[in-house]
Amino acid sequence: AVLGKTLPSTDNTLYVNPQGTRAYVCSGSYLYTYSMDGTKIAQKTITLSGQPAFDDQGNLYSIATEDSSDYYLYQFKADGTAKQLKYVQSYSVVFWANSRINVNDFSTLYQYSSAGTQVGKFTLPDSSIKAGCQGDGTAIYVVSSSKLYKLTSTGVKTEGDCDFCFACIHNCPQKAIQFQSLPDDPLLARGEVN
């Protein structure tokens, strides 16, 4: 029960936003949104996939499907409204980091604001993003097929030798990174800029 209210069935999954203002109850192919006094705010026919995430406004984000064939990143707002944000794979991962909702689609990490608009995009060539987290709050850590990447406000960092994938250059939102032109080096003869 949510503060003494009877829930739809005994087979429920309960998610409470970090602010403690909303309870989201998954019951079969339904998602119910409740206030903490037990008032039902919304009901939507939808099936969630994977672990959801919350933003700083108390909204829930999850990979979900309405028809068991097409999966999307959904935003379920605390006011009961739902917004379909992006077509993704059923196994995509969604997480909150650096004041943004992040969702992967193969080698690309898409970022969304609490308003539900896309605000960033990072691509790690020849990689498949497997998971991500906020880490220390100053960066996003992404596990790809074979490496751990740290996406920071100053670029993409990884341990070990540079693969010359140029992900740091192509994903810098400030367009501030470039490799120096080295005429004697075949990889950097012309330099690389974004």
Side-chain angles (χ1 to χ4, degrees), residues 51-90:
Q51 185 67 31
F54 289 96
D55 66 16
D56 58 352
Q57 304 297 310
N59 302 318
L60 180 138
Y61 295 79
S62 182
I63 307 306
T65 182
E66 293 184 54
D67 61 9
S68 297
S69 64
D70 292 324
Y71 287 83
Y72 293 87
L73 170 64
Y74 274 87
Q75 175 190 54
F76 301 98
K77 297 189 93 170
D79 67 6
T81 59
K83 183 177 181 182
Q84 191 181 79
L85 299 179
K86 175 170 181 33
Y87 177 81
V88 293
Q89 305 302 313
S90 62

PDB file of all heavy atoms in Angstrom, residues 51-90:
ATOM      1  N   GLN A  51      16.208  -1.046 -15.447  1.00  0.00           N
ATOM      2  CA  GLN A  51      16.160  -0.224 -14.244  1.00  0.00           C
ATOM      3  C   GLN A  51      15.886   1.228 -14.614  1.00  0.00           C
ATOM      4  O   GLN A  51      16.598   1.806 -15.413  1.00  0.00           O
ATOM      5  CB  GLN A  51      17.499  -0.326 -13.498  1.00  0.00           C
ATOM      6  CG  GLN A  51      17.535   0.385 -12.189  1.00  0.00           C
ATOM      7  CD  GLN A  51      16.619  -0.232 -11.153  1.00  0.00           C
ATOM      8  OE1 GLN A  51      16.382  -1.429 -11.142  1.00  0.00           O
ATOM      9  NE2 GLN A  51      16.092   0.596 -10.272  1.00  0.00           N
ATOM     10  N   PRO A  52      14.857   1.860 -14.046  1.00  0.00           N
ATOM     11  CA  PRO A  52      14.585   3.263 -14.352  1.00  0.00           C
ATOM     12  C   PRO A  52      15.544   4.196 -13.614  1.00  0.00           C
ATOM     13  O   PRO A  52      16.309   3.768 -12.752  1.00  0.00           O
ATOM     14  CB  PRO A  52      13.152   3.457 -13.864  1.00  0.00           C
ATOM     15  CG  PRO A  52      12.990   2.462 -12.775  1.00  0.00           C
ATOM     16  CD  PRO A  52      13.854   1.284 -13.167  1.00  0.00           C
ATOM     17  N   ALA A  53      15.474   5.477 -13.960  1.00  0.00           N
ATOM     18  CA  ALA A  53      16.286   6.509 -13.303  1.00  0.00           C
ATOM     19  C   ALA A  53      15.393   7.699 -13.009  1.00  0.00           C
ATOM     20  O   ALA A  53      14.348   7.881 -13.643  1.00  0.00           O
ATOM     21  CB  ALA A  53      17.444   6.912 -14.206  1.00  0.00           C
ATOM     22  N   PHE A  54      15.802   8.519 -12.056  1.00  0.00           N
ATOM     23  CA  PHE A  54      15.069   9.728 -11.694  1.00  0.00           C
ATOM     24  C   PHE A  54      15.931  10.944 -11.955  1.00  0.00           C
ATOM     25  O   PHE A  54      17.149  10.905 -11.783  1.00  0.00           O
ATOM     26  CB  PHE A  54      14.689   9.713 -10.208  1.00  0.00           C
ATOM     27  CG  PHE A  54      13.625   8.723  -9.874  1.00  0.00           C
ATOM     28  CD1 PHE A  54      13.958   7.471  -9.392  1.00  0.00           C
ATOM     29  CD2 PHE A  54      12.294   9.043 -10.050  1.00  0.00           C
ATOM     30  CE1 PHE A  54      12.974   6.547  -9.079  1.00  0.00           C
ATOM     31  CE2 PHE A  54      11.303   8.126  -9.745  1.00  0.00           C
ATOM     32  CZ  PHE A  54      11.640   6.875  -9.257  1.00  0.00           C
ATOM     33  N   ASP A  55      15.288  12.072 -12.338  1.00  0.00           N
ATOM     34  CA  ASP A  55      16.018  13.327 -12.457  1.00  0.00           C
ATOM     35  C   ASP A  55      15.842  14.132 -11.171  1.00  0.00           C
ATOM     36  O   ASP A  55      15.213  13.671 -10.214  1.00  0.00           O
ATOM     37  CB  ASP A  55      15.584  14.112 -13.703  1.00  0.00           C
ATOM     38  CG  ASP A  55      14.146  14.608 -13.655  1.00  0.00           C
ATOM     39  OD1 ASP A  55      13.536  14.636 -12.568  1.00  0.00           O
ATOM     40  OD2 ASP A  55      13.629  14.983 -14.722  1.00  0.00           O
ATOM     41  N   ASP A  56      16.379  15.341 -11.148  1.00  0.00           N
ATOM     42  CA  ASP A  56      16.326  16.162  -9.944  1.00  0.00           C
ATOM     43  C   ASP A  56      14.951  16.790  -9.708  1.00  0.00           C
ATOM     44  O   ASP A  56      14.738  17.438  -8.695  1.00  0.00           O
ATOM     45  CB  ASP A  56      17.409  17.236  -9.975  1.00  0.00           C
ATOM     46  CG  ASP A  56      17.298  18.151 -11.177  1.00  0.00           C
ATOM     47  OD1 ASP A  56      16.483  17.903 -12.087  1.00  0.00           O
ATOM     48  OD2 ASP A  56      18.047  19.143 -11.222  1.00  0.00           O
ATOM     49  N   GLN A  57      14.012  16.594 -10.630  1.00  0.00           N
ATOM     50  CA  GLN A  57      12.649  17.097 -10.466  1.00  0.00           C
ATOM     51  C   GLN A  57      11.687  16.000  -9.982  1.00  0.00           C
ATOM     52  O   GLN A  57      10.505  16.244  -9.825  1.00  0.00           O
ATOM     53  CB  GLN A  57      12.125  17.651 -11.799  1.00  0.00           C
ATOM     54  CG  GLN A  57      13.007  18.724 -12.396  1.00  0.00           C
ATOM     55  CD  GLN A  57      13.091  19.952 -11.521  1.00  0.00           C
ATOM     56  OE1 GLN A  57      12.076  20.473 -11.100  1.00  0.00           O
ATOM     57  NE2 GLN A  57      14.298  20.403 -11.232  1.00  0.00           N
ATOM     58  N   GLY A  58      12.206  14.772  -9.826  1.00  0.00           N
ATOM     59  CA  GLY A  58      11.375  13.667  -9.372  1.00  0.00           C
ATOM     60  C   GLY A  58      10.689  12.906 -10.491  1.00  0.00           C
ATOM     61  O   GLY A  58       9.846  12.047 -10.241  1.00  0.00           O
ATOM     62  N   ASN A  59      11.042  13.219 -11.749  1.00  0.00           N
ATOM     63  CA  ASN A  59      10.477  12.505 -12.892  1.00  0.00           C
ATOM     64  C   ASN A  59      11.188  11.174 -13.078  1.00  0.00           C
ATOM     65  O   ASN A  59      12.387  11.071 -12.850  1.00  0.00           O
ATOM     66  CB  ASN A  59      10.623  13.340 -14.166  1.00  0.00           C
ATOM     67  CG  ASN A  59       9.964  14.696 -14.042  1.00  0.00           C
ATOM     68  OD1 ASN A  59       8.868  14.818 -13.517  1.00  0.00           O
ATOM     69  ND2 ASN A  59      10.649  15.727 -14.504  1.00  0.00           N
ATOM     70  N   LEU A  60      10.448  10.166 -13.509  1.00  0.00           N
ATOM     71  CA  LEU A  60      11.004   8.837 -13.744  1.00  0.00           C
ATOM     72  C   LEU A  60      11.284   8.674 -15.239  1.00  0.00           C
ATOM     73  O   LEU A  60      10.482   9.093 -16.069  1.00  0.00           O
ATOM     74  CB  LEU A  60      10.010   7.771 -13.286  1.00  0.00           C
ATOM     75  CG  LEU A  60      10.435   6.319 -13.453  1.00  0.00           C
ATOM     76  CD1 LEU A  60      10.042   5.539 -12.213  1.00  0.00           C
ATOM     77  CD2 LEU A  60       9.779   5.687 -14.659  1.00  0.00           C
ATOM     78  N   TYR A  61      12.417   8.079 -15.572  1.00  0.00           N
ATOM     79  CA  TYR A  61      12.788   7.777 -16.953  1.00  0.00           C
ATOM     80  C   TYR A  61      13.030   6.286 -17.055  1.00  0.00           C
ATOM     81  O   TYR A  61      13.672   5.695 -16.192  1.00  0.00           O
ATOM     82  CB  TYR A  61      14.072   8.514 -17.351  1.00  0.00           C
ATOM     83  CG  TYR A  61      13.913  10.008 -17.356  1.00  0.00           C
ATOM     84  CD1 TYR A  61      13.940  10.745 -16.182  1.00  0.00           C
ATOM     85  CD2 TYR A  61      13.729  10.690 -18.554  1.00  0.00           C
ATOM     86  CE1 TYR A  61      13.787  12.109 -16.188  1.00  0.00           C
ATOM     87  CE2 TYR A  61      13.575  12.062 -18.574  1.00  0.00           C
ATOM     88  CZ  TYR A  61      13.597  12.762 -17.381  1.00  0.00           C
ATOM     89  OH  TYR A  61      13.435  14.116 -17.403  1.00  0.00           O
ATOM     90  N   SER A  62      12.523   5.692 -18.127  1.00  0.00           N
ATOM     91  CA  SER A  62      12.701   4.253 -18.299  1.00  0.00           C
ATOM     92  C   SER A  62      12.608   3.882 -19.764  1.00  0.00           C
ATOM     93  O   SER A  62      11.947   4.571 -20.553  1.00  0.00           O
ATOM     94  CB  SER A  62      11.627   3.493 -17.522  1.00  0.00           C
ATOM     95  OG  SER A  62      11.828   2.092 -17.639  1.00  0.00           O
ATOM     96  N   ILE A  63      13.253   2.787 -20.100  1.00  0.00           N
ATOM     97  CA  ILE A  63      13.037   2.164 -21.395  1.00  0.00           C
ATOM     98  C   ILE A  63      11.694   1.445 -21.262  1.00  0.00           C
ATOM     99  O   ILE A  63      11.461   0.736 -20.281  1.00  0.00           O
ATOM    100  CB  ILE A  63      14.159   1.158 -21.725  1.00  0.00           C
ATOM    101  CG1 ILE A  63      15.540   1.814 -21.579  1.00  0.00           C
ATOM    102  CG2 ILE A  63      13.955   0.565 -23.109  1.00  0.00           C
ATOM    103  CD1 ILE A  63      15.743   3.086 -22.357  1.00  0.00           C
ATOM    104  N   ALA A  64      10.800   1.645 -22.225  1.00  0.00           N
ATOM    105  CA  ALA A  64       9.454   1.078 -22.090  1.00  0.00           C
ATOM    106  C   ALA A  64       8.852   0.796 -23.458  1.00  0.00           C
ATOM    107  O   ALA A  64       9.297   1.339 -24.475  1.00  0.00           O
ATOM    108  CB  ALA A  64       8.565   2.043 -21.315  1.00  0.00           C
ATOM    109  N   THR A  65       7.834  -0.056 -23.455  1.00  0.00           N
ATOM    110  CA  THR A  65       7.123  -0.390 -24.691  1.00  0.00           C
ATOM    111  C   THR A  65       5.626  -0.397 -24.417  1.00  0.00           C
ATOM    112  O   THR A  65       5.187  -0.800 -23.343  1.00  0.00           O
ATOM    113  CB  THR A  65       7.573  -1.744 -25.264  1.00  0.00           C
ATOM    114  OG1 THR A  65       6.870  -1.987 -26.487  1.00  0.00           O
ATOM    115  CG2 THR A  65       7.334  -2.883 -24.294  1.00  0.00           C
ATOM    116  N   GLU A  66       4.880   0.035 -25.413  1.00  0.00           N
ATOM    117  CA  GLU A  66       3.424  -0.027 -25.328  1.00  0.00           C
ATOM    118  C   GLU A  66       2.883  -1.233 -26.079  1.00  0.00           C
ATOM    119  O   GLU A  66       1.752  -1.640 -25.862  1.00  0.00           O
ATOM    120  CB  GLU A  66       2.805   1.248 -25.897  1.00  0.00           C
ATOM    121  CG  GLU A  66       3.111   2.464 -25.042  1.00  0.00           C
ATOM    122  CD  GLU A  66       2.423   3.715 -25.528  1.00  0.00           C
ATOM    123  OE1 GLU A  66       1.184   3.679 -25.696  1.00  0.00           O
ATOM    124  OE2 GLU A  66       3.112   4.720 -25.735  1.00  0.00           O
ATOM    125  N   ASP A  67       3.705  -1.807 -26.986  1.00  0.00           N
ATOM    126  CA  ASP A  67       3.213  -2.903 -27.839  1.00  0.00           C
ATOM    127  C   ASP A  67       4.122  -4.126 -27.860  1.00  0.00           C
ATOM    128  O   ASP A  67       3.956  -5.009 -28.684  1.00  0.00           O
ATOM    129  CB  ASP A  67       3.010  -2.394 -29.267  1.00  0.00           C
ATOM    130  CG  ASP A  67       4.303  -1.884 -29.892  1.00  0.00           C
ATOM    131  OD1 ASP A  67       5.393  -2.070 -29.298  1.00  0.00           O
ATOM    132  OD2 ASP A  67       4.220  -1.304 -30.982  1.00  0.00           O
ATOM    133  N   SER A  68       5.116  -4.185 -27.005  1.00  0.00           N
ATOM    134  CA  SER A  68       6.068  -5.299 -26.902  1.00  0.00           C
ATOM    135  C   SER A  68       6.956  -5.474 -28.132  1.00  0.00           C
ATOM    136  O   SER A  68       7.583  -6.506 -28.311  1.00  0.00           O
ATOM    137  CB  SER A  68       5.341  -6.629 -26.621  1.00  0.00           C
ATOM    138  OG  SER A  68       4.692  -6.559 -25.385  1.00  0.00           O
ATOM    139  N   SER A  69       7.014  -4.466 -29.003  1.00  0.00           N
ATOM    140  CA  SER A  69       7.912  -4.581 -30.158  1.00  0.00           C
ATOM    141  C   SER A  69       8.835  -3.374 -30.290  1.00  0.00           C
ATOM    142  O   SER A  69      10.013  -3.532 -30.565  1.00  0.00           O
ATOM    143  CB  SER A  69       7.127  -4.794 -31.454  1.00  0.00           C
ATOM    144  OG  SER A  69       6.332  -3.670 -31.739  1.00  0.00           O
ATOM    145  N   ASP A  70       8.330  -2.180 -30.096  1.00  0.00           N
ATOM    146  CA  ASP A  70       9.153  -0.978 -30.202  1.00  0.00           C
ATOM    147  C   ASP A  70       9.414  -0.409 -28.817  1.00  0.00           C
ATOM    148  O   ASP A  70       8.480  -0.205 -28.036  1.00  0.00           O
ATOM    149  CB  ASP A  70       8.451   0.078 -31.067  1.00  0.00           C
ATOM    150  CG  ASP A  70       8.363  -0.337 -32.527  1.00  0.00           C
ATOM    151  OD1 ASP A  70       9.313  -0.970 -33.020  1.00  0.00           O
ATOM    152  OD2 ASP A  70       7.339  -0.030 -33.161  1.00  0.00           O
ATOM    153  N   TYR A  71      10.684  -0.143 -28.534  1.00  0.00           N
ATOM    154  CA  TYR A  71      11.076   0.379 -27.231  1.00  0.00           C
ATOM    155  C   TYR A  71      11.533   1.828 -27.370  1.00  0.00           C
ATOM    156  O   TYR A  71      12.198   2.191 -28.341  1.00  0.00           O
ATOM    157  CB  TYR A  71      12.199  -0.469 -26.619  1.00  0.00           C
ATOM    158  CG  TYR A  71      11.694  -1.802 -26.147  1.00  0.00           C
ATOM    159  CD1 TYR A  71      11.540  -2.865 -27.038  1.00  0.00           C
ATOM    160  CD2 TYR A  71      11.345  -1.998 -24.817  1.00  0.00           C
ATOM    161  CE1 TYR A  71      11.065  -4.092 -26.608  1.00  0.00           C
ATOM    162  CE2 TYR A  71      10.860  -3.236 -24.384  1.00  0.00           C
ATOM    163  CZ  TYR A  71      10.723  -4.259 -25.279  1.00  0.00           C
ATOM    164  OH  TYR A  71      10.245  -5.462 -24.858  1.00  0.00           O
ATOM    165  N   TYR A  72      11.170   2.620 -26.370  1.00  0.00           N
ATOM    166  CA  TYR A  72      11.509   4.041 -26.365  1.00  0.00           C
ATOM    167  C   TYR A  72      11.983   4.431 -24.977  1.00  0.00           C
ATOM    168  O   TYR A  72      11.622   3.807 -23.983  1.00  0.00           O
ATOM    169  CB  TYR A  72      10.287   4.896 -26.722  1.00  0.00           C
ATOM    170  CG  TYR A  72       9.823   4.722 -28.135  1.00  0.00           C
ATOM    171  CD1 TYR A  72       8.925   3.719 -28.468  1.00  0.00           C
ATOM    172  CD2 TYR A  72      10.295   5.549 -29.145  1.00  0.00           C
ATOM    173  CE1 TYR A  72       8.499   3.544 -29.777  1.00  0.00           C
ATOM    174  CE2 TYR A  72       9.880   5.381 -30.459  1.00  0.00           C
ATOM    175  CZ  TYR A  72       8.980   4.380 -30.764  1.00  0.00           C
ATOM    176  OH  TYR A  72       8.576   4.207 -32.059  1.00  0.00           O
ATOM    177  N   LEU A  73      12.755   5.510 -24.928  1.00  0.00           N
ATOM    178  CA  LEU A  73      13.034   6.157 -23.657  1.00  0.00           C
ATOM    179  C   LEU A  73      11.825   7.034 -23.369  1.00  0.00           C
ATOM    180  O   LEU A  73      11.436   7.860 -24.196  1.00  0.00           O
ATOM    181  CB  LEU A  73      14.297   7.022 -23.745  1.00  0.00           C
ATOM    182  CG  LEU A  73      14.545   7.935 -22.535  1.00  0.00           C
ATOM    183  CD1 LEU A  73      14.778   7.112 -21.271  1.00  0.00           C
ATOM    184  CD2 LEU A  73      15.729   8.852 -22.809  1.00  0.00           C
ATOM    185  N   TYR A  74      11.200   6.808 -22.208  1.00  0.00           N
ATOM    186  CA  TYR A  74      10.043   7.592 -21.792  1.00  0.00           C
ATOM    187  C   TYR A  74      10.394   8.437 -20.583  1.00  0.00           C
ATOM    188  O   TYR A  74      11.170   8.021 -19.729  1.00  0.00           O
ATOM    189  CB  TYR A  74       8.876   6.679 -21.385  1.00  0.00           C
ATOM    190  CG  TYR A  74       8.004   6.230 -22.523  1.00  0.00           C
ATOM    191  CD1 TYR A  74       8.326   5.091 -23.248  1.00  0.00           C
ATOM    192  CD2 TYR A  74       6.847   6.929 -22.855  1.00  0.00           C
ATOM    193  CE1 TYR A  74       7.513   4.658 -24.281  1.00  0.00           C
ATOM    194  CE2 TYR A  74       6.026   6.500 -23.886  1.00  0.00           C
ATOM    195  CZ  TYR A  74       6.361   5.373 -24.604  1.00  0.00           C
ATOM    196  OH  TYR A  74       5.562   4.957 -25.615  1.00  0.00           O
ATOM    197  N   GLN A  75       9.761   9.586 -20.529  1.00  0.00           N
ATOM    198  CA  GLN A  75       9.808  10.440 -19.345  1.00  0.00           C
ATOM    199  C   GLN A  75       8.407  10.394 -18.726  1.00  0.00           C
ATOM    200  O   GLN A  75       7.422  10.715 -19.393  1.00  0.00           O
ATOM    201  CB  GLN A  75      10.150  11.874 -19.729  1.00  0.00           C
ATOM    202  CG  GLN A  75      10.109  12.845 -18.569  1.00  0.00           C
ATOM    203  CD  GLN A  75      10.202  14.292 -19.030  1.00  0.00           C
ATOM    204  OE1 GLN A  75       9.431  14.724 -19.869  1.00  0.00           O
ATOM    205  NE2 GLN A  75      11.162  15.015 -18.477  1.00  0.00           N
ATOM    206  N   PHE A  76       8.314   9.959 -17.476  1.00  0.00           N
ATOM    207  CA  PHE A  76       7.061   9.950 -16.740  1.00  0.00           C
ATOM    208  C   PHE A  76       7.163  11.058 -15.702  1.00  0.00           C
ATOM    209  O   PHE A  76       7.878  10.927 -14.712  1.00  0.00           O
ATOM    210  CB  PHE A  76       6.830   8.588 -16.082  1.00  0.00           C
ATOM    211  CG  PHE A  76       6.788   7.462 -17.075  1.00  0.00           C
ATOM    212  CD1 PHE A  76       7.905   6.677 -17.304  1.00  0.00           C
ATOM    213  CD2 PHE A  76       5.633   7.203 -17.804  1.00  0.00           C
ATOM    214  CE1 PHE A  76       7.877   5.643 -18.221  1.00  0.00           C
ATOM    215  CE2 PHE A  76       5.591   6.167 -18.726  1.00  0.00           C
ATOM    216  CZ  PHE A  76       6.710   5.397 -18.940  1.00  0.00           C
ATOM    217  N   LYS A  77       6.476  12.149 -15.954  1.00  0.00           N
ATOM    218  CA  LYS A  77       6.583  13.316 -15.088  1.00  0.00           C
ATOM    219  C   LYS A  77       5.792  13.129 -13.799  1.00  0.00           C
ATOM    220  O   LYS A  77       4.825  12.370 -13.753  1.00  0.00           O
ATOM    221  CB  LYS A  77       6.109  14.566 -15.830  1.00  0.00           C
ATOM    222  CG  LYS A  77       6.988  14.875 -17.047  1.00  0.00           C
ATOM    223  CD  LYS A  77       6.665  16.192 -17.639  1.00  0.00           C
ATOM    224  CE  LYS A  77       7.601  17.176 -16.998  1.00  0.00           C
ATOM    225  NZ  LYS A  77       7.580  18.467 -17.614  1.00  0.00           N
ATOM    226  N   ALA A  78       6.227  13.834 -12.782  1.00  0.00           N
ATOM    227  CA  ALA A  78       5.581  13.744 -11.481  1.00  0.00           C
ATOM    228  C   ALA A  78       4.124  14.206 -11.534  1.00  0.00           C
ATOM    229  O   ALA A  78       3.321  13.810 -10.689  1.00  0.00           O
ATOM    230  CB  ALA A  78       6.367  14.558 -10.456  1.00  0.00           C
ATOM    231  N   ASP A  79       3.762  14.996 -12.550  1.00  0.00           N
ATOM    232  CA  ASP A  79       2.366  15.447 -12.672  1.00  0.00           C
ATOM    233  C   ASP A  79       1.477  14.404 -13.356  1.00  0.00           C
ATOM    234  O   ASP A  79       0.289  14.629 -13.552  1.00  0.00           O
ATOM    235  CB  ASP A  79       2.283  16.778 -13.414  1.00  0.00           C
ATOM    236  CG  ASP A  79       2.692  16.695 -14.885  1.00  0.00           C
ATOM    237  OD1 ASP A  79       2.954  15.584 -15.406  1.00  0.00           O
ATOM    238  OD2 ASP A  79       2.756  17.763 -15.528  1.00  0.00           O
ATOM    239  N   GLY A  80       2.049  13.256 -13.743  1.00  0.00           N
ATOM    240  CA  GLY A  80       1.276  12.173 -14.333  1.00  0.00           C
ATOM    241  C   GLY A  80       1.355  12.083 -15.847  1.00  0.00           C
ATOM    242  O   GLY A  80       0.889  11.115 -16.432  1.00  0.00           O
ATOM    243  N   THR A  81       1.939  13.084 -16.507  1.00  0.00           N
ATOM    244  CA  THR A  81       2.051  13.032 -17.964  1.00  0.00           C
ATOM    245  C   THR A  81       3.251  12.183 -18.374  1.00  0.00           C
ATOM    246  O   THR A  81       4.206  12.021 -17.608  1.00  0.00           O
ATOM    247  CB  THR A  81       2.187  14.442 -18.571  1.00  0.00           C
ATOM    248  OG1 THR A  81       3.352  15.080 -18.021  1.00  0.00           O
ATOM    249  CG2 THR A  81       0.956  15.287 -18.277  1.00  0.00           C
ATOM    250  N   ALA A  82       3.189  11.644 -19.580  1.00  0.00           N
ATOM    251  CA  ALA A  82       4.281  10.812 -20.107  1.00  0.00           C
ATOM    252  C   ALA A  82       4.703  11.367 -21.454  1.00  0.00           C
ATOM    253  O   ALA A  82       3.880  11.861 -22.226  1.00  0.00           O
ATOM    254  CB  ALA A  82       3.828   9.368 -20.255  1.00  0.00           C
ATOM    255  N   LYS A  83       5.996  11.270 -21.733  1.00  0.00           N
ATOM    256  CA  LYS A  83       6.538  11.781 -22.993  1.00  0.00           C
ATOM    257  C   LYS A  83       7.507  10.755 -23.563  1.00  0.00           C
ATOM    258  O   LYS A  83       8.419  10.300 -22.877  1.00  0.00           O
ATOM    259  CB  LYS A  83       7.255  13.110 -22.745  1.00  0.00           C
ATOM    260  CG  LYS A  83       7.794  13.786 -23.975  1.00  0.00           C
ATOM    261  CD  LYS A  83       8.418  15.129 -23.588  1.00  0.00           C
ATOM    262  CE  LYS A  83       8.964  15.867 -24.772  1.00  0.00           C
ATOM    263  NZ  LYS A  83       9.601  17.128 -24.361  1.00  0.00           N
ATOM    264  N   GLN A  84       7.294  10.394 -24.818  1.00  0.00           N
ATOM    265  CA  GLN A  84       8.189   9.479 -25.525  1.00  0.00           C
ATOM    266  C   GLN A  84       9.356  10.313 -26.054  1.00  0.00           C
ATOM    267  O   GLN A  84       9.155  11.246 -26.821  1.00  0.00           O
ATOM    268  CB  GLN A  84       7.404   8.840 -26.663  1.00  0.00           C
ATOM    269  CG  GLN A  84       8.067   7.697 -27.334  1.00  0.00           C
ATOM    270  CD  GLN A  84       7.180   7.170 -28.455  1.00  0.00           C
ATOM    271  OE1 GLN A  84       7.141   7.756 -29.522  1.00  0.00           O
ATOM    272  NE2 GLN A  84       6.473   6.083 -28.192  1.00  0.00           N
ATOM    273  N   LEU A  85      10.591   9.985 -25.646  1.00  0.00           N
ATOM    274  CA  LEU A  85      11.735  10.820 -26.009  1.00  0.00           C
ATOM    275  C   LEU A  85      12.540  10.288 -27.185  1.00  0.00           C
ATOM    276  O   LEU A  85      12.929  11.044 -28.053  1.00  0.00           O
ATOM    277  CB  LEU A  85      12.668  10.991 -24.804  1.00  0.00           C
ATOM    278  CG  LEU A  85      12.067  11.657 -23.574  1.00  0.00           C
ATOM    279  CD1 LEU A  85      13.092  11.732 -22.466  1.00  0.00           C
ATOM    280  CD2 LEU A  85      11.530  13.033 -23.915  1.00  0.00           C
ATOM    281  N   LYS A  86      12.862   8.990 -27.217  1.00  0.00           N
ATOM    282  CA  LYS A  86      13.752   8.469 -28.243  1.00  0.00           C
ATOM    283  C   LYS A  86      13.546   6.985 -28.433  1.00  0.00           C
ATOM    284  O   LYS A  86      13.391   6.249 -27.475  1.00  0.00           O
ATOM    285  CB  LYS A  86      15.201   8.739 -27.850  1.00  0.00           C
ATOM    286  CG  LYS A  86      16.196   8.124 -28.813  1.00  0.00           C
ATOM    287  CD  LYS A  86      17.595   8.558 -28.583  1.00  0.00           C
ATOM    288  CE  LYS A  86      18.550   7.946 -29.568  1.00  0.00           C
ATOM    289  NZ  LYS A  86      18.077   7.680 -30.906  1.00  0.00           N
ATOM    290  N   TYR A  87      13.566   6.555 -29.695  1.00  0.00           N
ATOM    291  CA  TYR A  87      13.542   5.124 -30.010  1.00  0.00           C
ATOM    292  C   TYR A  87      14.870   4.528 -29.591  1.00  0.00           C
ATOM    293  O   TYR A  87      15.931   5.070 -29.907  1.00  0.00           O
ATOM    294  CB  TYR A  87      13.317   4.913 -31.516  1.00  0.00           C
ATOM    295  CG  TYR A  87      13.358   3.468 -31.925  1.00  0.00           C
ATOM    296  CD1 TYR A  87      12.244   2.650 -31.746  1.00  0.00           C
ATOM    297  CD2 TYR A  87      14.506   2.906 -32.463  1.00  0.00           C
ATOM    298  CE1 TYR A  87      12.270   1.308 -32.103  1.00  0.00           C
ATOM    299  CE2 TYR A  87      14.550   1.566 -32.828  1.00  0.00           C
ATOM    300  CZ  TYR A  87      13.429   0.778 -32.645  1.00  0.00           C
ATOM    301  OH  TYR A  87      13.473  -0.549 -32.985  1.00  0.00           O
ATOM    302  N   VAL A  88      14.836   3.427 -28.849  1.00  0.00           N
ATOM    303  CA  VAL A  88      16.054   2.765 -28.370  1.00  0.00           C
ATOM    304  C   VAL A  88      15.862   1.255 -28.452  1.00  0.00           C
ATOM    305  O   VAL A  88      14.801   0.771 -28.818  1.00  0.00           O
ATOM    306  CB  VAL A  88      16.401   3.176 -26.917  1.00  0.00           C
ATOM    307  CG1 VAL A  88      16.797   4.643 -26.836  1.00  0.00           C
ATOM    308  CG2 VAL A  88      15.253   2.879 -25.977  1.00  0.00           C
ATOM    309  N   GLN A  89      16.875   0.537 -28.055  1.00  0.00           N
ATOM    310  CA  GLN A  89      16.810  -0.923 -27.985  1.00  0.00           C
ATOM    311  C   GLN A  89      16.271  -1.320 -26.611  1.00  0.00           C
ATOM    312  O   GLN A  89      16.430  -0.583 -25.641  1.00  0.00           O
ATOM    313  CB  GLN A  89      18.194  -1.531 -28.199  1.00  0.00           C
ATOM    314  CG  GLN A  89      18.870  -1.094 -29.480  1.00  0.00           C
ATOM    315  CD  GLN A  89      18.051  -1.435 -30.705  1.00  0.00           C
ATOM    316  OE1 GLN A  89      17.558  -2.549 -30.833  1.00  0.00           O
ATOM    317  NE2 GLN A  89      17.886  -0.479 -31.609  1.00  0.00           N
ATOM    318  N   SER A  90      15.695  -2.484 -26.522  1.00  0.00           N
ATOM    319  CA  SER A  90      15.121  -2.932 -25.249  1.00  0.00           C
ATOM    320  C   SER A  90      16.187  -3.081 -24.167  1.00  0.00           C
ATOM    321  O   SER A  90      15.886  -3.007 -22.981  1.00  0.00           O
ATOM    322  CB  SER A  90      14.377  -4.256 -25.431  1.00  0.00           C
ATOM    323  OG  SER A  90      15.279  -5.271 -25.853  1.00  0.00           O
TER     324      SER A  90
END
